[in-house]
Amino acid sequence: MKKTTLIACAAIALTCCACQSVDKTEKTNIDYSKISVQNVMDKSAELRQNVNDYKAAQKATDSNNVDAGKTAVDTIKDSAKEKYNEVKKQLKDERDAWKETLNK
């Protein structure tokens, strides 16, 4: 709950700063020609491929490491943790892809 409140406050603060800095942003020369839709689409396709490869590797690893002594609760916990890690990795990859795309 505290993290959610902190994230919400940070988002509000950033929004306020962005609104106040509109005049400054308009004075800055930004080269938008380096950002293209094709670059973004390529990065997105690359990200999807990486995620699919990761999922396939994870499933192969999971099938090799099946433990007969696991309970249903342990299996559910492992599955939830795996999905959490996949989403976390996907978000990190997407963030890195956007950083790379915007810095070109």
Side-chain angles (χ1 to χ4, degrees):
M1 188 62 162
K2 290 181 181 180
K3 288 182 182 180
T4 306
T5 305
L6 181 62
I7 291 171
C9 290
I12 292 169
L14 289 175
T15 303
C16 291
C17 291
C19 291
Q20 292 175 354
S21 65
V22 169
D23 295 333
K24 293 179 184 175
T25 305
E26 291 176 355
K27 295 176 185 175
T28 305
N29 292 331
I30 299 174
D31 186 11
Y32 290 106
S33 64
K34 293 182 181 180
I35 302 171
S36 72
V37 173
Q38 188 60 43
N39 286 345
V40 174
M41 296 302 290
D42 291 342
K43 290 294 180 181
S44 180
E46 182 181 332
L47 173 66
R48 276 194 308 278
Q49 184 61 41
N50 288 342
V51 169
N52 289 335
D53 292 344
Y54 176 78
K55 285 180 181 179
Q58 188 68 30
K59 284 182 182 179
T61 302
D62 288 345
S63 66
N64 290 336
N65 295 330
V66 174
D67 185 11
K70 286 187 176 180
T71 64
V73 174
D74 292 336
T75 305
I76 291 171
K77 284 181 182 178
D78 291 342
S79 176
K81 191 171 189 177
E82 176 185 331
K83 288 185 183 217
Y84 170 77
N85 289 334
E86 286 176 11
V87 169
K88 185 177 173 182
K89 183 183 182 313
Q90 184 179 7
L91 288 173
K92 182 185 179 297
D93 290 343
E94 186 71 23
R95 183 187 72 220
D96 293 341
W98 273 106
K99 280 183 182 178
E100 185 178 327
T101 300
L102 294 175
N103 288 334
K104 285 187 177 182

